[in-house]
Amino acid sequence: MDKNLIYMDHAATTPMDSEVLSAMLPYFSDIFANPSSIYALAQESRKVVDDSRQKIASLLGARRSEIMFTSGGTESDNAALRGVASALQSTGKHIITSQIEHHAVLHTCYQLEQLGYEISYLPVDQNGIINPTSVINAIREDTILVSIMMANNEIGTIQPIEQICCLVKDEAKSRGTNIIFHTDAVQAAGFLDFNVKKLGVDLLSLSAHKFYGPKGVGALYIRRGTPFETQLSGGGQERGRRSGTENVAAIVGMAKALEISIENREQTNLHCIKLRDKLIKDVMSNIKEVNLNGDDTLRVPNNVNFSFSGVEGEPLLLGLDFAGICVSSGSACSSGSLEPSHVLTSLGLTDEQAQGSLRITLGRENTVEEVEKIVEVLVGLVAKLRNMPILD
């Protein structure tokens, strides 16, 4: 990467850690065999997949058998919802989620609606926080699944998952029913404690490239005994839950990246909070009519999301890119869409305000000097864009 480039889009993806790459390299060439074969070379691949699964399980407070490898966060979210919905369709067809979930959850819910399922999309407050009571009030006799994200990918708000899950489980117990709880922890993994025993969740989604690991690999924690119907059939890999030859190198990389991220979590959080708070303070002190989207304190340490009145997001992004600064206007998965962010409009922002948003997500390699540079560029760029004549 160009040393003069400022990269502040870590919610979209993170650069791979050099230790992670080193751990992966042997499994592209020397130890390349299919883990499902029986000869010695293949068993080397099998052993490292099993060891990586055990490492990830230990870091999550789970059993090895409860970790299913996937191609990333999208597949993990899809599999969680579809797998449970299919397994429990004879019990009920009601699912509860929030209006600000990632599209990997929302679009799956839309498709499930076409199959006869009913979805309750719960609102959030102006800071993007879900009221736990609203979740309980939405539960019906036919409710089978609740899916609430741990940290939002656009505004970084942190939901009280442990509290919500506990309330859901207590409500289900009082009704004599079984309600499965899933959380999308893709944006939380590098910053928050996601011990599954502490959280109490039945399913949890992860994606390696959000915590300095490789793209194309993720995991879904499935608590033992959770009803789950296979979504990918074939050779019977992943205990028959997700067939397909394992991506050995990527799995090794994910385990190593997760280990490093948890070891360095406290240090990373302190570093990002220092930069985040400086960025917020300097932008809001030097630019008028700017709004910080999301909660002031209940947000992941690296996330900043601004809306600038009278400025559209696209020219803002282009101007920053021209200055060698990489940021986003929202979720990278939908940045090509002309539609305003569903997350920001759920907070009560107008379409115009939502389209003038900017997401800046910091990483452990960013510096104070880079924060000062982006503020300097933003001050001039916003002033320039606001002074441009409006063409009919």
Side-chain angles (χ1 to χ4, degrees):
M1 188 171 74
D2 185 345
K3 65 179 182 179
N4 295 316
L5 193 71
I6 298 176
Y7 184 80
M8 292 189 180
D9 198 19
H10 292 80
T13 194
T14 53
M16 192 185 298
D17 189 290
S18 59
E19 286 188 56
V20 173
L21 178 59
S22 296
M24 293 172 62
L25 286 176
Y27 303 97
F28 287 112
S29 54
D30 298 333
I31 309 172
F32 62 87
N34 190 321
S36 296
S37 298
I38 62 172
Y39 40 79
L41 182 63
Q43 289 309 298
E44 290 187 62
S45 296
R46 169 53 53 200
K47 183 179 186 306
V48 77
V49 169
D50 290 344
D51 289 348
S52 297
R53 194 189 310 276
Q54 180 59 60
K55 180 182 290 186
I56 291 171
S58 297
L59 293 169
L60 266 66
R63 298 179 176 89
R64 185 173 70 176
S65 60
E66 295 174 323
I67 303 301
M68 182 181 86
F69 290 117
T70 68
S71 62
T74 293
E75 186 190 338
S76 293
D77 285 344
N78 273 239
L81 271 64
R82 296 180 194 279
V84 171
S86 297
L88 292 179
Q89 59 183 316
S90 62
T91 302
K93 287 192 170 185
H94 179 236
I95 297 170
I96 299 170
T97 190
S98 82
Q99 294 177 356
I100 65 167
E101 297 296 310
H102 191 278
H103 282 133
V105 168
L106 292 179
H107 288 176
T108 302
C109 286
Y110 301 156
Q111 292 171 344
L112 287 171
E113 285 181 304
Q114 301 303 310
L115 299 175
Y117 292 83
E118 292 184 59
I119 317 294
S120 294
Y121 301 96
L122 303 184
V124 294
D125 65 19
Q126 62 182 6
N127 294 324
I129 305 297
I130 298 166
N131 185 338
T133 303
S134 70
V135 180
I136 305 308
N137 290 341
I139 291 176
R140 308 183 330 199
E141 290 300 322
D142 59 342
T143 302
I144 55 172
L145 174 66
V146 175
S147 180
I148 305 292
M149 69 192 333
M150 195 170 182
N152 186 265
N153 51 299
E154 291 192 35
I155 57 175
T157 49
I158 301 169
Q159 304 299 340
I161 295 300
E162 184 178 351
Q163 179 188 4
I164 296 173
C165 185
C166 181
L167 290 172
V168 167
K169 292 299 182 180
D170 286 347
E171 180 67 18
K173 184 177 180 180
S174 70
R175 291 170 176 262
T177 61
N178 184 25
I179 301 176
I180 306 303
F181 197 102
H182 165 252
T183 189
D184 175 347
V186 167
Q187 293 292 340
F191 304 100
L192 306 179
D193 180 2
F194 52 97
N195 182 288
V196 293
K197 289 182 180 177
K198 182 179 179 183
L199 293 173
V201 299
D202 301 297
L203 303 112
L204 182 144
S205 301
L206 293 175
S207 185
H209 76 105
K210 304 298 187 180
F211 46 86
Y212 298 87
K215 298 177 183 65
V217 63
L220 177 64
Y221 160 73
I222 309 174
R223 184 186 297 278
R224 186 169 65 176
T226 299
F228 183 86
E229 188 168 298
T230 298
Q231 298 302 297
L232 287 178
S233 302
Q237 290 88 350
E238 299 300 302
R239 299 172 66 88
R241 296 175 299 197
R242 197 268 189 188
S243 292
T245 302
E246 296 93 340
N247 186 343
V248 179
I251 288 170
V252 169
M254 180 175 185
K256 184 65 175 177
L258 191 61
E259 179 182 47
I260 292 171
S261 73
I262 291 177
E263 286 177 354
N264 297 333
R265 183 163 60 200
E266 184 176 355
Q267 181 181 350
T268 299
N269 285 354
L270 290 173
H271 175 71
C272 288
I273 288 171
K274 176 183 176 182
L275 298 183
R276 180 197 69 186
D277 291 351
K278 177 176 174 56
L279 178 59
I280 293 171
K281 178 178 178 293
D282 290 357
V283 166
M284 301 193 78
S285 297
N286 290 281
I287 302 177
K288 295 180 179 180
E289 297 183 75
V290 55
N291 183 66
L292 176 66
N293 300 314
D295 195 87
D296 289 344
T297 55
L298 294 176
R299 65 191 309 138
V300 287
N302 76 327
N303 178 283
V304 180
N305 190 301
F306 293 120
S307 286
F308 298 91
S309 298
V311 178
E312 291 186 2
E314 186 175 2
L316 196 58
L317 287 177
L318 292 174
L320 289 167
D321 183 39
F322 186 77
I325 299 170
C326 304
V327 294
S328 174
S329 61
S331 170
C333 303
S334 59
S335 59
S337 171
L338 295 177
E339 293 295 319
S341 161
H342 70 285
V343 174
L344 296 181
T345 54
S346 294
L347 304 187
L349 273 68
T350 65
D351 288 359
E352 182 182 6
Q353 289 172 323
Q355 288 174 332
S357 68
L358 189 69
R359 183 187 71 178
I360 304 171
T361 43
L362 301 150
R364 61 195 188 202
E365 73 277 10
N366 289 131
T367 65
V368 171
E369 291 75 22
E370 288 179 329
V371 169
E372 291 172 345
K373 176 64 176 178
I374 193 172
V375 173
E376 177 188 343
V377 173
L378 270 173
V379 169
L381 185 58
V382 170
K384 179 181 177 181
L385 293 173
R386 284 175 173 169
N387 289 327
M388 289 181 66
I390 300 175
L391 301 177
D392 293 331

